[in-house]
Amino acid sequence: MRAAVVRTFGGPEAVELVDVELPEPAARQVRIKVAAAALNPVDAGVRSGVFGGAGRRIGLGWDVAGTVDAVGVAAAWSVGEEVVALAYGMVEPLGTHAEYVVVDTDAVALAPTSVDAVHAATLPLNALTAAQALDLAALSPGDSLLVTGGAGAVGGYAVQLAARRGVKVAALARARDEEFVRSLGATPVPGGEGSFDAVLDAAVLGSEALARVRDGGVYVGVIPQARPASERGVRTEAVEVSADGARLAELVRAVDAGELTLRVAETFALEDAAKAHARLAEGGVRGRLVLVP
């Protein structure tokens, strides 16, 4: 099969398309024929060497939507089922930017029935990150939350999920995105104004976002290494996303109920993976870039 990998770190030109052996599922694993796989900023980090792995072949891609085409022993899934999954791993030999991928059975959920595979592929990583970050915030209905980067992929999901829980959500976003974040359920707020029970810092503003948390509140970041030190009694946390098929199934149900908005910015053929990385590096992307084998 073909797969997008890096063998040397660098810019978009470091992404290669290579021929590799078809992976076989072990016990409690399934192989998915990839219909679509989203490109995320973490892939750019892997490509540029942020997470290490020098001298090794490293696969790219975490999100996948596709069809189960082989199962291991006790896999609990059947060939032919349409699914989504999170293939967690920073420096693995293969990722989801490939024609096939093997994942653990408990990372898998049935795909949404209301959207196509391209849109479904944008769900796992970003929505699970948002949901697990909100778990760390541990907010109650009526509490106030500021989401930085409220128009982004993680931030957009966080706004919608928090609003569903009865949390009063505000969002930091560019002026051009104010109407969009309102449509998700948040009130746009200018920088520097207001104090909140919690901040979910999807834009990785660090201490600037921490300053918006009331004394004794909670700050939740999305990059563990970038979490600011606690001050004023603020509890500081950072989400490290984990694969969770049961939680992913809940998010799929929210998609099918019309409660989560999936956004695709552009699609690229797998052989154009380097071009997709170049587009991501340009910035200004609203929604996810998606690779289609």
Side-chain angles (χ1 to χ4, degrees):
M1 71 167 191
R2 299 177 305 162
V5 304
V6 291
R7 290 184 283 198
T8 58
F9 298 135
E13 72 285 348
V15 179
E16 303 177 57
L17 197 67
V18 298
D19 291 319
V20 298
E21 289 189 6
L22 189 67
E24 295 295 336
R28 297 189 58 77
Q29 289 186 324
V30 301
R31 186 172 68 206
I32 299 171
K33 183 178 182 180
V34 179
L39 174 65
N40 290 283
V42 68
D43 295 306
V46 170
R47 184 201 72 221
S48 59
V50 170
F51 304 105
R56 298 162 55 184
R57 184 191 78 194
I58 304 173
L60 299 166
W62 293 42
D63 292 301
V64 60
T67 305
V68 175
D69 103 303
V71 297
V73 176
W77 294 92
S78 300
V79 171
E81 289 185 297
E82 295 184 2
V83 297
V84 290
L86 176 66
Y88 177 89
M90 293 289 186
V91 287
E92 299 296 328
L94 292 171
T96 65
H97 294 173
E99 292 177 318
Y100 295 85
V101 64
V102 168
V103 298
D104 292 339
T105 185
D106 57 5
V108 180
L110 287 173
T113 59
S114 58
V115 298
D116 61 17
V118 171
H119 284 80
T122 68
L123 181 70
L125 175 60
N126 294 295
L128 281 170
T129 298
Q132 292 169 9
L134 289 172
D135 290 345
L136 290 174
L139 296 171
S140 300
D143 287 346
S144 60
L145 170 70
L146 175 66
V147 178
T148 71
V154 172
Y157 286 131
V159 166
Q160 293 175 93
L161 291 170
R164 287 178 60 209
R165 300 182 185 187
V167 172
K168 294 184 291 187
V169 187
L172 277 179
R174 293 182 175 90
R176 64 174 180 167
D177 293 319
E178 288 185 357
E179 286 306 314
F180 176 70
V181 297
R182 281 194 181 93
S183 75
L184 299 180
T187 301
V189 296
E193 292 186 12
S195 179
F196 301 86
D197 295 316
V199 169
L200 197 164
D201 189 16
V204 198
L205 301 181
S207 57
E208 181 183 343
L210 180 67
R212 306 293 296 274
V213 184
R214 66 164 174 79
D215 294 356
V218 59
Y219 165 99
V220 182
V222 295
I223 301 178
Q225 302 90 331
R227 179 175 61 181
S230 176
E231 59 182 52
R232 299 180 289 105
V234 173
R235 175 168 60 90
T236 60
E237 304 278 1
V239 63
E240 186 163 354
V241 69
S242 60
D244 184 340
R247 192 64 175 281
L248 184 55
E250 293 177 7
L251 295 165
V252 166
R253 287 192 288 271
V255 170
D256 284 336
E259 297 169 349
L260 287 180
T261 301
L262 307 182
R263 291 179 288 158
V264 174
E266 194 173 347
T267 60
F268 292 82
L270 180 61
E271 55 263 31
D272 292 328
K275 293 180 180 178
H277 277 255
R279 175 65 188 93
L280 181 66
E282 291 173 1
V285 176
R286 283 293 174 264
R288 279 289 170 249
L289 306 175
V290 180
L291 299 180
V292 181

